[in-house]
Amino acid sequence: RYTFRTAEQTAALHRSVTLDDLGNASVYLLSDMSAATSGETHYIDAGFNAMGMLAPWRVEQDQSTAD
C-alpha cells in the first residue's frame, strides 16, 4: 500500500496507472502508427519514472489508510 500511495503522490499525473492505460499503449504498439518505433522503452506509469521516489519523510500519510 505504501508503494502505491507514494507512486500516486509522486507521479507527474498524480494517479495510478489503469488497465485502460496499459491497453491503449498496447494498441498503439500493435498498430501501424508505431511502425517506425524501434529500440524504445515506453514507460506506462503516469510519469513516475520522470519524477522519481520521494524521501520517506516527504510522503503525505493518509491516516485513514495508514498501514
Side-chain angles (χ1 to χ4, degrees):
R1 294 180 188 182
Y2 174 80
T3 302
F4 291 120
R5 191 176 325 120
T6 303
E8 286 178 349
Q9 293 172 0
T10 307
L13 299 180
H14 297 289
R15 64 177 181 83
S16 293
V17 177
T18 65
L19 289 177
D20 286 338
D21 295 329
L22 295 172
N24 290 338
S26 299
V27 168
Y28 163 72
L29 291 171
L30 293 170
S31 73
D32 290 337
M33 292 188 294
S34 67
T37 302
S38 63
E40 292 293 324
T41 302
H42 294 270
Y43 295 99
I44 317 300
D45 63 359
F48 181 76
N49 70 310
M51 305 301 285
M53 191 79 167
L54 283 177
W57 59 86
R58 295 193 58 207
V59 177
E60 299 172 15
Q61 292 293 328
D62 181 359
Q63 297 301 323
S64 63
T65 60
D67 297 328

